[in-house]
Amino acid sequence: MMSSLATSFPRLTRLFLHRCELCQQLPPLGRLPELKYLHIGAASALVSIGHEFLGDETPKAASTVVFPKLKIFRIEDMPNWETWNLGGSGDDDDDDGGQEHYGAPQTLLRLPRLEDLTLRNCPRLSALPTGTNGVRKVRTFPALSRLTIHDCSALAYMENLDALECLKLVDESMEHLPSWLPGLFQGRQSRFKMDAFCNLRLLKRCLDDGPDWPIVREIPVANIYSDTVNGRASLHYVKEPS
C-alpha cells in the first residue's frame, strides 16, 4: 500500500482525513513525496500512531526520511489517542537478537520541513515523539517553529524542539504551567514567545508573587490571557537581556 500511495498520488499536496471513526490504524502517508498540508480529525477509535503511518512495512524497516515536504500538520478531536511513535519501533533494543552494529548510527529524519503543528482536543496523548530506533538516532521536527497545544491535558513530555519560536497553549482546566515548558526555552535569550489562554487561577499563579512566576520570568516573551465575567485579564512579560 505504501508504494501504491506514492505512485498513485505523486503530486498530492493537501490531505484531509476527517471522521474516520472506526479507523484503528492510519494509512501509510509518510512517503507521499509532495504532501505539504495534512489534517487528521475525529478518528475516535485510534489509540496509537506508529511505523505504519510513516510508510514502513515493519518497525525494523524504518525509512530514513518520511513526510519529506510536510509543512503544516493538524491533529484534532482524537479522544482515545495515547501514543505517538515516529522512531519506527518503541522497544526494538531487543529485536536484533544481540547482533552487534558496526559503523556510525544512521539518523532517521521525521517531518524534516514541518513548521507548524497543532494538537487540539487529544486528552490522552502523553508525549510528543522523541527517541531512537535501535542504535539509530531519530530527529523529529527539526524545523518546527510554531506549536499549538489546545486541550491536551495529559501531555507531560516533549523535548528537542530547538527551532521552536512560538508556543500557543489553550486549556481552561490547566492548574499550573506544564513541567515540560522550561525545557523549550532554557538557554534562549530571544526568538521564543508563549501565548497562553487559561483560567484566572492560573493567571494569578503567574504573577510576580505566584508559584509559577519562576517559570514565567525566564520566558523571553510571555502573554497570558484569561476570560472573566468582567472581560479579559492578561499578563504581558518581556525578559530583559542578560
Side-chain angles (χ1 to χ4, degrees), residues 62-64 86-87 104-110 130-140 160 162:
S63 306
T64 303
L86 292 181
Q106 184 182 27
T107 298
L108 306 177
L109 292 177
R110 291 356 193 170
T130 59
T132 61
N133 179 306
V135 298
R136 291 183 291 180
K137 180 180 179 181
V138 179
R139 289 198 64 199
T140 56
N160 299 328
D162 298 333

Side-chain angles (χ1 to χ4, degrees), residues 58-62 88-89 92 95-96 101 133-134 136:
T58 68
K60 298 296 289 184
S89 175
D92 65 344
D95 288 343
D96 53 16
H101 296 271
N133 179 306
R136 291 183 291 180

Side-chain angles (χ1 to χ4, degrees), residues 17-58:
L17 297 178
H18 191 61
R19 291 198 176 279
C20 302
E21 297 178 352
L22 300 180
C23 177
Q24 297 182 353
Q25 179 174 297
L26 291 175
L29 304 177
R31 299 297 295 277
L32 289 171
E34 298 295 329
L35 190 65
K36 297 179 180 179
Y37 180 98
L38 177 59
H39 187 138
I40 299 174
S44 56
L46 194 71
V47 175
S48 176
I49 295 177
H51 67 90
E52 72 289 337
F53 179 54
L54 307 179
D56 299 323
E57 295 180 357
T58 68

Side-chain angles (χ1 to χ4, degrees), residues 38 40 53 70 72-75 84 111 114 116-118:
L38 177 59
I40 299 174
F53 179 54
L70 190 66
I72 300 174
F73 194 4
R74 306 276 188 264
I75 307 179
W84 191 4
L111 300 99
L114 188 70
D116 189 338
L117 173 64
T118 295

Side-chain angles (χ1 to χ4, degrees), residues 159-178:
E159 65 176 12
N160 299 328
L161 300 180
D162 298 333
L164 192 65
E165 297 181 2
C166 183
L167 171 68
K168 182 177 180 181
L169 288 175
V170 183
D171 192 341
E172 290 290 335
S173 68
M174 194 162 40
E175 297 180 356
H176 54 78
L177 291 178

Side-chain angles (χ1 to χ4, degrees), residues 6-236:
T7 302
S8 300
F9 305 102
R11 298 182 181 179
L12 184 67
T13 60
R14 296 174 64 88
L15 179 61
F16 296 78
L17 297 178
H18 191 61
R19 291 198 176 279
C20 302
E21 297 178 352
L22 300 180
C23 177
Q24 297 182 353
Q25 179 174 297
L26 291 175
L29 304 177
R31 299 297 295 277
L32 289 171
E34 298 295 329
L35 190 65
K36 297 179 180 179
Y37 180 98
L38 177 59
H39 187 138
I40 299 174
S44 56
L46 194 71
V47 175
S48 176
I49 295 177
H51 67 90
E52 72 289 337
F53 179 54
L54 307 179
D56 299 323
E57 295 180 357
T58 68
K60 298 296 289 184
S63 306
T64 303
V65 180
V66 293
F67 292 104
K69 294 189 178 181
L70 190 66
K71 291 188 175 183
I72 300 174
F73 194 4
R74 306 276 188 264
I75 307 179
E76 301 182 350
D77 301 323
M78 307 277 274
N80 294 303
W81 181 32
E82 298 177 357
T83 59
W84 191 4
N85 177 15
L86 292 181
S89 175
D91 55 0
D92 65 344
D93 289 337
D94 299 326
D95 288 343
D96 53 16
Q99 294 290 325
E100 186 175 358
H101 296 271
Y102 296 95
Q106 184 182 27
T107 298
L108 306 177
L109 292 177
R110 291 356 193 170
L111 300 99
R113 296 188 182 182
L114 188 70
E115 299 174 357
D116 189 338
L117 173 64
T118 295
L119 302 174
R120 180 186 178 98
N121 193 22
C122 304
R124 295 189 179 185
L125 181 66
S126 60
L128 263 64
T130 59
T132 61
N133 179 306
V135 298
R136 291 183 291 180
K137 180 180 179 181
V138 179
R139 289 198 64 199
T140 56
F141 316 131
L144 186 67
S145 61
R146 182 177 180 84
L147 174 63
T148 299
I149 306 292
H150 194 310
D151 290 333
C152 299
S153 56
L155 193 61
Y157 181 79
M158 65 175 71
E159 65 176 12
N160 299 328
L161 300 180
D162 298 333
L164 192 65
E165 297 181 2
C166 183
L167 171 68
K168 182 177 180 181
L169 288 175
V170 183
D171 192 341
E172 290 290 335
S173 68
M174 194 162 40
E175 297 180 356
H176 54 78
L177 291 178
S179 60
W180 45 260
L181 180 58
L184 298 184
F185 59 79
Q186 284 177 344
R188 300 192 191 192
Q189 297 300 319
S190 61
R191 295 184 62 191
F192 183 88
K193 180 182 75 167
M194 180 191 76
D195 293 325
F197 299 82
C198 59
N199 57 62
L200 188 58
R201 294 187 304 277
L202 178 53
L203 188 148
K204 291 180 178 179
R205 286 176 57 95
C206 295
L207 298 177
D208 60 8
D209 58 349
D212 281 327
W213 170 246
I215 296 178
V216 174
R217 70 184 180 188
E218 298 300 324
I219 303 174
V221 179
N223 302 302
I224 304 174
Y225 306 92
S226 177
D227 290 327
T228 72
V229 293
N230 296 318
R232 172 168 285 185
S234 62
L235 166 65
H236 304 280

